Each structure stands twice: as structure tokens, then as C-alpha cells.
Amino acid sequence: MAMAAPTGSAALCGHLALLLLLLLAAPAALGYSFPQQHTMQYWARRLEQEIDGVMRIFGGVQQLRGIYNENRNLFEVKENVPRKLVEKVAGDIESLLAKKVRALKRLANAAEKFQKAHHWQDNIREEDIEYYDSKADTEYVSTDDPDGEEIEREKSNSLKLEFTDDANFKTKVNYSYAAVQIPTDIYKGSTVILNELNWTQALEDVFIENRKEDPSLLWQVFGSATGVTRYYPATPWRAPNKIDLYDVRRRPWYIQGASSPKDMVIIVDVSGSVSGLTLKLMKTSVYEMLDTLSDDDYVNVASFNEKAKPVSCFKHLVQANIRNKKVFKEDVQGMVAKGTTDYKAGFEYAFDQLQNSNITRANCNKMIMMFTDGGEDRVQDVFEKYNWPNKTVRVFTFSVGQHNYDVTPLQWMACANKGYYFEIPSIGAIRINTQEYLDVLGRPMVLAGNRAKQVQWTNVYQDALGLGLVVTGTLPVFNLTEDSSDRKNQLILGVMGIDVALNDIKKLTPRYNLGANGYVFAIDLNGYVLLHPNLQPQIINFREPVTLDFLDAELEDENKEEIRRSMIDGNDGQRFIKTLIKSLDEQYIDEVFRTYTWAPIKSTNYSLGLVLPPYSTYYIQANLSDQILQVKYFEYLLPNSFESEGHVFIAPREYCKDLDLSDNNTEFLENFIALMEKVTPDSKQCDNFLLHNLILDTGITQQLVERVWKDQDLNTYSLLAVFAATDGGITRVFPNKAADDWEEEPEPFNASFYRRSLDNKGYIFKPPYRDAGYRGLDLENNTIGILVSTAVELSIGGKTLKPAVVGVKLDLEAWAEKFKVLASNRTDRDQLGTRRCDPSSSCEMDCEANNKDLICVLIDDGGFLVLSNQEDHWYQVGKFFSEVDANLMSALYNNSFYARKESYDFQSVCAPEAQSNTGAAPRGVFVPTVADLLNLAWWTSAAAWSLFQQFLYGLTYSSWFQTEDVTADSMEARETSCIMKQTQYYFSTVNATYNAIIDCGNCSRLFHAQRLANTNLLFVVADKPLCSQCESVKLLQAEVRAPPRDPNQCELVDRPRYRKGPHICFDYNATEDTSDCGRGASFAPSLGVLLSLQLLLLYSSASRHPLPPAACL
């Protein structure tokens, strides 16, 4: 452990103890002593003076200030007024969404009218319906055959359309037609589906009219309760590599629009009779049931036999968010069947859960979902005690597996409690029967009529057709037909949706006038971000919503919790706070000041916020009315000026509509120059603010070259380059050849050195980042540079702003030698080697003469090595110092030089974890005999249809084709979303200078650490370790995959974050007809489809699991 040097009355004893330890630990010769504190403070001052001198000469901060003041007539200083900005942007977003709402209401009203006027046709045929089947162009279903053989799909009589590329949709579309998508597991030739296709065809005209009124409309979609999706404009379906099991009824936007929030308790019978295939069916059913829940819902899952117990660590209802559902899904797999069935235990547990009012929950629809293989007990006494006569809790029962039990009690339970009874004889029945309960929940909404027609806006999610991140406005569509008794129909027809791309919302927000560290964000009622610079999901998974909480997008603290709560409550406000932020490269933590301003976006579920640092209250707006000056400054962007004026990188911004963007900055500059030869900076197709500021900064940085950089010899001070970067988007690097090794982002706002320099005073050192595995091969061929940068602060008319950052790039090897000299006892007059300690003269060790015994390093505020007197450390510059000297870094941390911040990245991508595979033969799949294949009756039997469904879902649930101990989401390995744990270190404010002992008996070490003024550096001098018997636990800084259950969801759910659900609940209507309460049928299959898919099953099973040669005999 590290022990601090005593102070106060015990100082003398402490110093004597340190001196004694030093003499014991000193390297052999008695003439050497560890440098005293005043000596190291002297070295520190020399280092500070050298750094400051170089930056004053080459950085040109004062000169650049003067240049800005001299050019005062070329720009205005504008003010960002946070409340006005927020009000304007919120109003613009409200107007954008209001246009979509009008189109949405027209569609919903038209759909209800078309369906009411439609006449049901019992004898309708496929050839009677004309529509574009979006999956018809996908002519095959991929198999896992390594030879790439393909199985043809059944022929379709779909319309043949032509498509053209459309930049708005990022794909090919046809504006004259809508497209239809039908889930693969639904038979599209059924009477229900054909009638659905018939009446929804009339929606195409409304789609087209909507687009004429608002050409910016994106996908207009009707999701039917039957599973049919009709969307406009038409485009081929983006089918996955495997069988397409997309079902609109499982999309987040459909679930939100089709019912009010839910409090759900799932109870699973795990008595001894439930085993083998039936237990598998139940586990998968629970898995699918969880996927019908959204973040507005709350859920718990329990298993029961003689007693009931939760399957997970959750002791009460928890929010049905992705992470909680993942815990349930993992723990459900561990359920084991044993004991006897006691329905009473299961239902009492469920009712107790729903009656617990001391927790956060949905407080709307309440329901119990029971999965069982059957039983005789009706537990009427439980319902009388908990649920009758009001019947506030709906009961849904599921008879699972193929058995001969009497299902009458299960039907009675559902019918007696306003629920529904379903049968799940095989895996193929799971998806349909675990989502149709939504029709029952939709009844009160339909009966409520116009009161329930509330437009809701969803969380952010990935669009299934490739638009990227979107939000969707939803509106339920009701069946307005009446029966012969003039009773209103109570079925929901589906949900109408209109997408809005997040990029379209972002275009309404200010960006460049806010500076590099200012930004706009927005959150919903769950606290999830709709807009935020840190909203960057790394994986495309349209099955899951993108749910990044505001407190996970930023580093959480009490102030931000209060801001988040106020925004969710729909309030407006403003607060100036001190908070921690991560650097853009996620290596550093900075303590900064920020002003948060927020206000609700009216008529939506969203709230908008603006974050501004103090130095971004004002910004520069160039006014280059002098066209001659425009041309003069523009010439400094031309490559032929780079040799004399330094290389210019321009930020890849959308300066003009016709400008072709490119990731290659040289190519982008060429595109920019070519366009500027055709248009002027004042052209209407260009952003005048961006262009004028860019050209102004080109001229200002060129003047810096003329006045400062050209007159200096960089080699004299061992500099590889000097540079300046500006808010206007210019990065000028001098000399031109230095641009070859320039690795920073050409967009200053995306460059970590730029953003950190604005937030920190003084000189910010940035070594090249090296991970733990780096071995220094670059040193053999390249010169390594260390960036040192500082912000240029202007004060114009009492208005303070920071429009630029300047800096130098140090030559690592040359400055390492200079560092040794500056931290030595040699004076300027001393010649190298003339002043050394030896056995005959008692003197202090220094970093140059005694580098074999003394370690001297400069470490930055993130704990990364910047400079060292040890040559074998040079290739480790840029590494976290614990990788270099774990013992010393631990001592620095334990003595409070560094604080640590741990957080989680919920948007990462990881390779799939290795799965065990202990058997080659598939289990759980029935393979028919030859006699079965020859028997026509078998093909039309329930067994055959079940087998077809097994095949479809077997491709989704791989465990059906693998051994018991294998579970995976797909038959092929691919990247998956995961949680990464991040750790950053930063300077604590406790100590500026420190002496301490790393106490380890005979292996003890003395060290001294001191902050260098006006920098982000820590100067550390320490004994070299004498032995390796005192190894410390290595501090970790690298991002790592979070272990299972980290963060601990079991603890987090007991401290739920504040949220609000929708403000209206429709869970009861006195006129509801509950007589329709149970069935087990599904759509009848096509014999042709069944036959071809059965053959495909046999083929794919055989290709994945070939039989041994002996078996083939």
C-alpha cells in the first residue's frame, strides 16, 4: 500500500522515517539519495517554463487574438439566447410533426370508412385480388448449404413494378403503388387475408394524396390486426438472410398504438407432467409473450407447482424494457419441471403482484397469463377473493402441448375473467397465439370511440425498410360495423403509422453556432433520448427499440436527474451546473460548467433541451461583403498554396446542396473548390453562415502563418508541426509535409483535442492512444508526435468566446531527451556527463544521470504516459500507465491523485459468445416415415402443419435443431448488441504535490508526484522497483464487455428511474361483450406450401446434420 508523508507536528519524524527508508531502499552506493521535494519542485518549474515558452513562441495565441481584433470589421459577434433557441426549435419540431398527424388522421378515418363499406366475400380467390407482394421479388429462401444451393419460393401472381432510386427513402421505390407484406407463417390465401387485401387496396389513393400535400412524408403504413402490412410507397421487402418472420403486430409502434399500457404477470406451470417438448413450448411462449410488451408496460414472470416463485431475481413488477426482458428470457430457460400442479398457488401469487401499489407500474390494463398443460381445478375461490365482481384483472389461459386433458376449466377461467383461452399444440402456434390477446385489450379502446383516437409518438427504433433511426406517429383504426342487433363492433382493425426520420428532426436544430461542445437533445416520457449526440447505436436490429436513457447518454448526477424529471413532467426550465463529461474518444473525463435549458414540444410526448458551455454564449458570424477579399481568402484553400502557407483541412460540412461529401478530405476539398468555381458564397443553394465563416477562418489562419510560423525554425525546438483549428471548420497544419502524419479529425467539432482544449485552461497534452497490446513497431519507421493545444479566448466588447484552438506537435524522442535534461541537476552551463553522483560524493539522483535507478515520467490527466526518461518506455507512450508500471499507478490512485469513473455503454456490438455443442444430431424435430410421405391424409393433418411451423420457427429458435444445452438466436453466428463497461481516470482536486512510500518491506519504493501548472500533466519521480514481490492489482482502463448481470438489474429495478406513461388509459368499458373468450384454431395451410416446405425441412436438416456413413447403408 502507499503511505502519505506525515505533516504538521509529526513532520520531522515523518521526514526522518522517509530518509531512513530511502537509505535502505537506495541503489547500493551510499552516495546516492532520492531527490528532495524542493529539488523536484525546481524541476517542475523548469518543465513548466519550457512548455510555456514553446507555446508562446509557436502557439501564437496572443498574435491570433490580435489578428481577430484587426479583422473586427469582417464579422459580428452574435448571441445564443438559450430560451429563445429552445422555443424556436420546439415550435419547428411541433410543426413538422403536426403535418404528419394531419396525414395520419386522414388515413385512419379513410380506413374505417373503407372497411365499413366493404362487403365480406366468402368465396374470394387469390386471383381476384391485384396487389404488389413485396416479397415476390425475393425468389428464394437461403439455406445453410455451403454450396449455395437455393430453394425456389412458390410462384406469385403479384404485380410487376418498376422502381427508381429515391434519396429520401435510401432505396428504390414506386410512388404509384403501395406494397403488401404478409408474415411467412400466415397463409395469404385464407379468406380473412384476401378480404383484408381487398378493402385495404382503397388506401392507396389516400397514400398518394397525402404525399401530394406533403412531399416530405416518408413511410405511410397500415398494420392490420390480421398481420397484413400495407405500406407506401412500394418497395421490395428487405428480407433477412433467414426466413422472414417479420410481423407488424410485434413492432414497437403497433404495440403502442393497439392498446393501453399493461401490468402483466406470467405464471408458468412447471409440475412434473410438464416436461420435454411441452416445457420447451412453454419457455418459448414466455419468450414470445415478453416480445409483445413495450417500455410502457410492466411485467413479472413466475413458475409454480405446489408453490409459486419468481423465475428471476425480480420480486415485483418491473418495466418491460430490453434489459429486464433479457433477464427474464435467460432465467426462463432454467425452469425445471417437478412436483404437482396447484393453480391456487400460481394465481394467488399473480394477484398479490398486481395488488402491490408500493411500486412503479403502468396502472392500466391488468392481466394474468397462465401457461399450463391442463388441469381440473377452476380455483373459483381465488377469483371470488381477488377479482370478482369487478373483474379488474383479465385472465388469459394457454393450453400448451398435445395432450388429452380436459381444457374446459381453462376455458372457464378465461371466460369468467374477461380474458381469452388459447391453445398452443406446437411451436408454430406460439407467435400468433401469444399476440392475439391484444385484440381483447383493444375492445375498451374501440368502444371508447373518438376519445381513444389519440396520436402517440413512439420511442426511437430502427426502421425495417432501411431509413435508419425513426419515430412513428400512431393512431388506432377501429371496426365501425354493427351486427344485426345494432351492437357496435369491438374489434380493432389495426394501427396506422407514419414515420419521421430522426435526421429530418435534426435538420431543425442549430449546430455550428452552438460551438463544438454545445448541443440539442430531446427525451420522451420514459426518459429515453430522441435526439442526442451520443445516440449512436452500433447495430441494426429492427426487432428492438433503441432505448438509451438520458442518464446513460451522459454521466449521471443529481442535477441531471432533476432536469430529466422536470422534462418528463412537461415543464420548462434552465439550470447552470457543474458536471462531468466524457471526451469524444471516451478516454478522458472533464469537469465542466454547462447551462441546461428545456421546454416541452407541444402536442407530443417529447421534451427538448439545449446544453451550452459558458464560452458558447457568443459566436462569430462572418460578413465578407467584399468579393475581392472573398477571392483572396479563398485562394488560400487551393492546394498550390499549401507548400508556403501550410496544409488546410476543411470540415466536411454541407456548405451547399450540390456539394458531394466524401470521407477523403483531399477529395472533399476538390469537390468544394470545383463547386465554388460555379457558385458564390452568397448563393441561395449554399449555407451562407457556414461558407462565410469558413472563408474568414481561411484568411485569419493564413495571417497566423505569415506573422508567426514562417519566421520560426521548428527543428530548434524539436517540433514536428504547428497547427490551428477553428469553429469555422478550418484546420491548418504547418509545414505542409506534416499533413502526411496528421491523424486528427478534419471536423474540429469531432476532434477530441479541440473539444478538450475549449473545456480546460492551459496546455492540453494528447499522446497518441495505444492499447495494452501495442508493441511499438511504429518507432522503427516513423516519428511519434505528441499534440499540445490550447484555446484562443477572445473578449470583444465584454463578450467572451473561444473561436479557435492552436498548438504544436512535439517530436517524442527529442522531447524525451529534453525532459531528462530539464529534470536533472545539470545547469545550462553544465556539459553532458560532467555532473554525476558517485560513491565519493554525496548528491541527489536525477532523471538524466540516474535513469537506471530513477523513473521520471509525465502522465496526463487520463492516466496515459506522455514522456519518460526510460528509453524502453518510449514505445509505450500513449498507453494507460498501469500497463507500464502497475505498482506506481496504483499508488497514485490510492493517494487520490486520480479519481475513477465507471459507466456503461449500452449501444455496443460484440461478437457472439462461443456456444457449446455436444451433439451432432438434431432433437425435437419429427421426421416422417416413408409410409407417412405416401399417405395423403398425413399431409393435411395437424401434424404436418405443426411440422411446417416447427420448420419456420426452428430457424428462429436454433435450440429446436440443437441439443438441450445449446440456445442461440440464430443458426448462424453474427454480431449482437451488448453492454460494455468503461472506466476513465481523471485528476482529483485533492493534491497538487505529494511525497509517499509504496510500502512493501524490502521492496518498498519512494515516489514524488506534482501537478505541472497550466497543463494537464502530472510529474512523477520514483525509485525503480528493486524486486517484483510487491505486485499491485493492475488498474484497468480499457473498455471491456460487461460480465453477465452487470450492471445488476436486480438492484436497479429497486431504484427505478422516474418516468410517466401515456396520460389516458382505456382498460374498461361497461358495454364490452366478453362472450367471445376462447378458441385454438389458426389459418389453414396451403397443401402446396406445406409439401414444398416439408421437403425443404428434410433437405436443410440433412445438409446441416449429415448422417454417419454407416447410417446411410
Side-chain angles (χ1 to χ4, degrees):
M1 62 180 286
M3 298 165 45
T7 56
S9 61
L12 179 60
C13 294
H15 286 303
L16 289 173
L18 280 172
L19 180 60
L20 178 60
L21 180 64
L22 170 64
L23 293 173
L24 291 173
L30 296 176
Y32 296 90
S33 65
F34 192 84
Q36 297 183 41
Q37 182 170 339
H38 67 82
T39 300
M40 289 178 280
Q41 289 174 339
Y42 168 67
W43 294 346
R45 285 195 297 273
R46 291 177 69 178
L47 289 167
E48 292 164 359
Q49 289 167 3
E50 184 71 14
I51 293 166
D52 185 64
V54 169
M55 289 299 290
R56 284 181 182 275
I57 295 171
F58 290 94
V61 172
Q62 294 293 344
Q63 294 90 333
L64 194 55
R65 254 189 222 123
I67 293 169
Y68 271 107
N69 284 319
E70 290 170 16
N71 291 278
R72 183 67 185 81
N73 62 313
L74 299 180
F75 63 86
E76 299 176 64
V77 177
K78 295 286 189 177
E79 183 178 4
N80 285 314
V81 182
R83 289 187 184 274
K84 288 185 178 179
L85 282 173
V86 170
E87 182 181 346
K88 180 184 184 306
V89 175
D92 290 344
I93 295 175
E94 179 190 355
S95 298
L96 172 72
L97 299 184
K99 291 172 67 178
K100 315 306 176 189
V101 167
R102 289 194 291 271
L104 192 60
K105 289 182 176 178
R106 278 196 296 270
L107 279 169
N109 292 335
E112 291 173 348
K113 183 180 73 172
F114 294 150
Q115 195 275 339
K116 187 174 182 181
H118 174 255
H119 298 288
W120 179 269
Q121 301 177 46
D122 287 322
N123 300 320
I124 194 170
R125 299 174 302 171
E126 282 192 73
E127 50 267 32
D128 296 334
I129 307 298
E130 190 178 71
Y131 68 99
Y132 171 65
D133 181 353
S134 62
K135 295 195 286 187
D137 293 332
T138 308
E139 296 178 350
Y140 56 86
V141 175
S142 172
T143 73
D144 285 349
D145 178 33
D147 297 327
E149 294 187 25
E150 296 158 353
I151 307 298
E152 286 194 7
R153 293 175 60 96
E154 61 176 316
K155 299 297 181 183
S156 169
N157 59 349
S158 168
L159 291 172
K160 305 300 180 184
L161 303 182
E162 293 183 357
F163 302 94
T164 56
D165 287 316
D166 189 284
N168 292 328
F169 288 92
K170 302 178 183 178
T171 189
K172 295 178 180 291
V173 299
N174 184 308
Y175 282 111
S176 299
Y177 294 89
V180 170
Q181 190 274 350
I182 301 173
T184 306
D185 54 330
I186 291 180
Y187 175 46
K188 61 186 178 184
S190 75
T191 304
V192 172
I193 296 299
L194 293 176
N195 275 278
E196 193 82 12
L197 292 172
N198 194 16
W199 76 260
T200 58
Q201 189 170 2
L203 288 173
E204 289 195 357
D205 291 337
V206 188
F207 287 146
I208 293 170
E209 285 300 314
N210 274 346
R211 181 178 176 272
K212 287 179 180 178
E213 290 196 23
D214 181 6
S216 68
L217 278 176
L218 296 176
W219 301 121
Q220 303 176 63
V221 187
F222 174 61
S224 167
T226 63
V228 172
T229 305
R230 190 178 284 272
Y231 61 90
Y232 176 87
T235 190
W237 189 248
R238 295 165 61 98
N241 293 332
K242 296 294 174 184
I243 279 193
D244 176 33
L245 290 180
Y246 175 95
D247 191 321
V248 68
R249 295 168 295 182
R250 290 180 172 270
R251 300 295 286 133
W253 64 270
Y254 184 95
I255 293 170
Q256 179 172 312
S259 63
S260 292
K262 303 172 279 296
D263 286 323
M264 176 187 290
V265 180
I266 301 172
I267 54 176
V268 185
D269 179 1
V270 291
S271 59
S273 62
V274 179
S275 59
L277 181 60
T278 302
L279 183 58
K280 271 190 169 185
L281 289 170
M282 288 186 178
K283 291 178 179 179
T284 307
S285 297
V286 174
Y287 191 100
E288 287 293 319
M289 181 64 73
L290 290 168
D291 280 344
T292 68
L293 302 177
S294 72
D295 291 78
D296 289 333
D297 304 320
Y298 283 74
V299 64
N300 202 356
V301 182
S303 61
F304 71 93
N305 38 41
E306 299 94 342
K307 296 181 179 179
K309 62 178 182 180
V311 299
S312 70
C313 57
F314 302 142
K315 307 304 180 187
H316 53 74
L317 292 170
V318 297
Q319 187 181 12
N321 58 40
I322 292 172
R323 295 197 284 280
N324 288 340
K325 289 192 288 188
K326 183 179 180 182
V327 172
F328 282 128
K329 290 176 181 180
E330 290 172 351
D331 291 343
V332 160
Q333 296 302 321
M335 292 191 305
V336 178
K338 61 182 179 181
T340 58
T341 305
D342 184 355
Y343 285 159
K344 184 174 183 179
F347 276 108
E348 285 186 337
Y349 177 89
F351 279 114
D352 287 340
Q353 288 277 301
L354 292 172
Q355 289 184 351
N356 184 356
S357 59
N358 296 323
I359 58 168
T360 305
R361 58 184 192 178
N363 287 316
C364 193
N365 285 295
K366 299 178 181 63
M367 66 201 69
I368 298 171
M369 324 297 275
M370 182 180 72
F371 294 91
T372 180
D373 62 343
E376 297 179 359
D377 191 359
R378 299 190 177 198
V379 290
Q380 182 171 336
D381 56 330
V382 175
F383 299 133
E384 289 175 347
K385 175 182 178 181
Y386 288 96
N387 204 37
W388 293 356
N390 296 326
K391 299 181 181 180
T392 56
V393 178
R394 297 181 188 268
V395 175
F396 296 85
T397 56
F398 298 81
S399 174
V400 184
Q402 299 188 8
H403 51 74
N404 296 319
Y405 297 125
D406 181 13
V407 298
T408 305
L410 298 180
Q411 292 174 324
W412 180 86
M413 291 179 195
C415 294
N417 292 279
K418 297 172 65 175
Y420 211 90
Y421 163 74
F422 298 96
E423 291 179 3
I424 302 178
S426 64
I427 191 171
I430 292 176
R431 276 168 59 96
I432 292 176
N433 289 323
T434 54
Q435 67 194 20
E436 290 200 344
Y437 76 92
L438 291 171
D439 291 345
V440 178
L441 299 189
R443 292 171 183 171
M445 290 180 64
V446 178
L447 295 171
N450 289 331
R451 286 193 305 113
K453 290 184 179 178
Q454 303 285 331
V455 174
Q456 296 188 69
W457 289 96
T458 67
N459 300 333
V460 178
Y461 67 95
Q462 292 280 4
D463 173 50
L465 288 169
L467 273 182
L469 295 181
V470 299
V471 293
T472 299
T474 66
L475 197 59
V477 180
F478 300 150
N479 190 329
L480 301 183
T481 59
E482 299 176 349
D483 61 18
S484 55
S485 305
D486 292 334
R487 286 188 305 177
K488 291 180 62 177
N489 195 300
Q490 55 185 19
L491 289 178
I492 187 169
L493 291 176
V495 177
M496 200 67 72
I498 288 184
D499 289 346
V500 179
L502 283 198
N503 283 337
D504 290 341
I505 299 178
K506 286 180 184 176
K507 290 175 182 176
L508 301 176
T509 64
R511 176 67 183 100
Y512 298 107
N513 60 299
L514 302 181
N517 290 317
Y519 57 91
V520 171
F521 71 97
I523 66 173
D524 64 17
L525 294 179
N526 278 300
Y528 298 147
V529 294
L530 163 74
L531 298 174
H532 198 286
N534 293 336
L535 178 63
Q536 298 175 351
Q538 299 299 305
I539 194 165
I540 303 298
N541 182 356
F542 66 79
R543 291 192 179 92
E544 294 180 353
V546 179
T547 53
L548 178 66
D549 197 284
F550 169 64
L551 297 178
D552 294 322
E554 306 197 357
L555 292 176
E556 181 176 357
D557 60 35
E558 290 184 6
N559 283 313
K560 291 176 184 174
E561 286 182 22
E562 293 172 8
I563 291 168
R564 177 181 176 276
R565 176 183 285 265
S566 178
M567 293 178 73
I568 290 173
D569 286 340
N571 301 322
D572 54 18
Q574 187 174 74
R575 182 175 293 193
F576 182 71
I577 67 172
K578 182 165 70 172
T579 186
L580 297 179
I581 64 167
K582 288 183 193 176
S583 63
L584 196 64
D585 55 15
E586 298 183 326
Q587 305 298 331
Y588 299 91
I589 296 287
D590 289 315
E591 188 174 58
V592 300
F593 290 96
R594 295 288 188 265
T595 297
Y596 281 73
T597 308
W598 62 94
I601 302 174
K602 297 175 183 177
S603 304
T604 73
N605 311 326
Y606 306 132
S607 183
L608 186 79
L610 170 67
V611 181
L612 271 184
Y615 50 81
S616 290
T617 301
Y618 299 98
Y619 64 95
I620 284 176
Q621 179 172 302
N623 181 21
L624 295 177
S625 56
D626 186 342
Q627 293 188 355
I628 297 177
L629 192 61
Q630 287 182 15
V631 172
K632 177 184 176 182
Y633 283 178
F634 179 76
E635 288 178 351
Y636 297 128
L637 282 175
L638 301 179
N640 59 18
S641 70
F642 290 176
E643 196 58 42
S644 61
E645 311 299 329
H647 193 100
V648 175
F649 297 92
I650 67 170
R653 301 175 181 175
E654 294 185 25
Y655 300 101
C656 299
K657 293 178 181 177
D658 294 335
L659 178 59
D660 294 329
L661 298 179
S662 172
D663 293 332
N664 183 301
N665 201 256
T666 301
E667 183 179 316
F668 178 70
L669 180 58
E670 291 173 354
N671 296 342
F672 176 79
I673 293 171
L675 183 63
M676 287 297 100
E677 293 174 349
K678 302 175 184 177
V679 301
T680 68
D682 299 312
S683 170
K684 291 183 179 179
Q685 65 160 295
C686 296
D687 187 319
N688 303 139
F689 170 76
L690 290 183
L691 267 181
H692 278 250
N693 278 26
L694 179 79
I695 295 172
L696 172 67
D697 287 355
T698 303
I700 283 180
T701 55
Q702 186 275 334
Q703 293 176 46
L704 181 66
V705 176
E706 292 294 329
R707 298 189 188 186
V708 181
W709 297 348
K710 277 188 176 181
D711 296 334
Q712 303 294 339
D713 181 5
L714 302 188
N715 293 328
T716 303
Y717 290 85
S718 305
L719 303 182
L720 299 175
V722 288
F723 61 90
T726 70
D727 277 0
I730 290 293
T731 302
R732 189 179 290 275
V733 179
F734 184 87
N736 183 40
K737 64 180 181 179
D740 296 339
D741 300 319
W742 187 257
E743 298 178 349
E744 306 304 317
E745 288 286 336
E747 169 57 83
F749 285 15
N750 292 340
S752 183
F753 81 87
Y754 191 86
R755 294 171 67 157
R756 294 202 71 218
S757 296
L758 295 175
D759 272 328
N760 293 277
K761 292 182 178 179
Y763 308 123
I764 305 303
F765 282 69
K766 178 182 178 291
Y769 173 71
R770 310 295 188 197
D771 61 28
Y774 178 73
R775 291 293 176 262
L777 300 178
D778 287 354
L779 275 179
E780 298 177 5
N781 304 313
N782 299 311
T783 303
I784 305 302
I786 297 170
L787 290 189
V788 188
S789 57
T790 188
V792 178
E793 185 174 294
L794 299 183
S795 182
I796 299 176
K799 301 171 183 178
T800 302
L801 62 158
K802 296 180 179 180
V805 168
V806 295
V808 301
K809 192 174 186 181
L810 309 180
D811 183 327
L812 168 62
E813 293 187 38
W815 271 78
E817 293 295 340
K818 183 177 291 192
F819 167 60
K820 288 194 291 186
V821 173
L822 292 169
S824 73
N825 297 321
R826 182 152 57 103
T827 65
D828 294 337
R829 297 178 180 178
D830 291 331
Q831 298 298 314
L832 182 62
T834 60
R835 191 170 189 272
R836 293 184 180 278
C837 293
D838 56 56
S840 62
S841 61
S842 177
C843 63
E844 296 176 355
M845 292 188 289
D846 67 34
C847 299
E848 180 190 27
N850 305 97
N851 63 341
K852 293 183 179 179
D853 306 309
L854 203 62
I855 292 176
C856 303
V857 292
L858 292 178
I859 311 172
D860 72 13
D861 55 330
F864 296 96
L865 179 62
V866 176
L867 284 175
S868 173
N869 72 331
Q870 305 295 308
E871 192 168 336
D872 61 339
H873 284 178
W874 292 356
Y875 77 89
Q876 300 188 83
V877 163
K879 283 188 177 182
F880 185 59
F881 191 60
S882 192
E883 300 292 338
V884 182
D885 191 330
N887 186 252
L888 185 51
M889 185 64 198
S890 293
L892 294 171
Y893 174 69
N894 292 334
N895 283 277
S896 300
F897 269 100
Y898 286 94
R900 178 167 60 191
K901 185 70 176 179
E902 294 181 341
S903 58
Y904 295 91
D905 178 3
F906 296 100
Q907 304 179 89
S908 294
V909 173
C910 299
E913 294 180 332
Q915 299 282 352
S916 64
N917 191 0
T918 57
R923 296 184 183 179
V925 177
F926 167 72
V927 179
T929 64
V930 173
D932 287 328
L933 293 173
L934 296 176
N935 184 353
L936 182 61
W938 180 86
W939 287 102
T940 58
S941 68
W945 181 236
S946 172
L947 182 56
F948 158 53
Q949 292 170 322
Q950 277 187 348
F951 163 70
L952 291 179
Y953 293 97
L955 295 181
T956 304
Y957 311 104
S958 64
S959 58
W960 289 83
F961 285 132
Q962 298 180 14
T963 53
E964 292 284 353
D965 58 347
V966 178
T967 56
D969 291 332
S970 170
M971 293 299 293
E972 62 182 8
R974 57 185 172 214
E975 290 183 328
T976 59
S977 59
C978 62
I979 300 172
M980 300 297 287
K981 188 173 185 178
Q982 296 182 341
T983 306
Q984 288 92 11
Y985 291 81
Y986 59 101
F987 284 153
S988 74
T989 57
V990 177
N991 298 301
T993 183
Y994 210 80
N995 286 301
I997 302 167
I998 304 174
D999 188 10
C1000 191
N1002 293 333
C1003 297
S1004 297
R1005 301 169 65 187
L1006 193 67
F1007 76 90
H1008 172 87
Q1010 178 164 336
R1011 294 271 296 274
L1012 293 190
N1014 208 36
T1015 73
N1016 65 326
L1017 296 179
L1018 180 69
F1019 177 38
V1020 183
V1021 179
D1023 288 323
K1024 266 197 172 180
L1026 297 178
C1027 50
S1028 58
Q1029 298 174 7
C1030 191
E1031 290 295 328
S1032 300
V1033 176
K1034 183 189 288 186
L1035 298 177
L1036 298 178
Q1037 188 275 338
E1039 184 179 64
V1040 296
R1041 185 168 185 169
R1045 303 297 170 88
D1046 184 16
N1048 192 330
Q1049 288 297 117
C1050 307
E1051 296 177 359
L1052 292 178
V1053 295
D1054 290 328
R1055 305 187 305 275
R1057 287 170 172 167
Y1058 182 71
R1059 65 173 295 277
K1060 276 188 174 181
H1063 62 282
I1064 294 182
C1065 170
F1066 297 96
D1067 63 340
Y1068 173 78
N1069 192 290
T1071 64
E1072 179 184 344
D1073 179 8
T1074 60
S1075 60
D1076 179 13
C1077 57
R1079 55 179 170 77
S1082 60
F1083 294 132
S1086 155
L1087 180 58
V1089 171
L1090 202 55
L1091 179 59
S1092 62
L1093 284 167
Q1094 173 59 31
L1095 293 174
L1096 175 57
L1097 169 63
L1098 296 174
Y1099 170 81
S1100 59
S1101 295
S1103 64
R1104 274 192 300 270
H1105 306 285
L1107 294 173
C1112 298
L1113 300 175

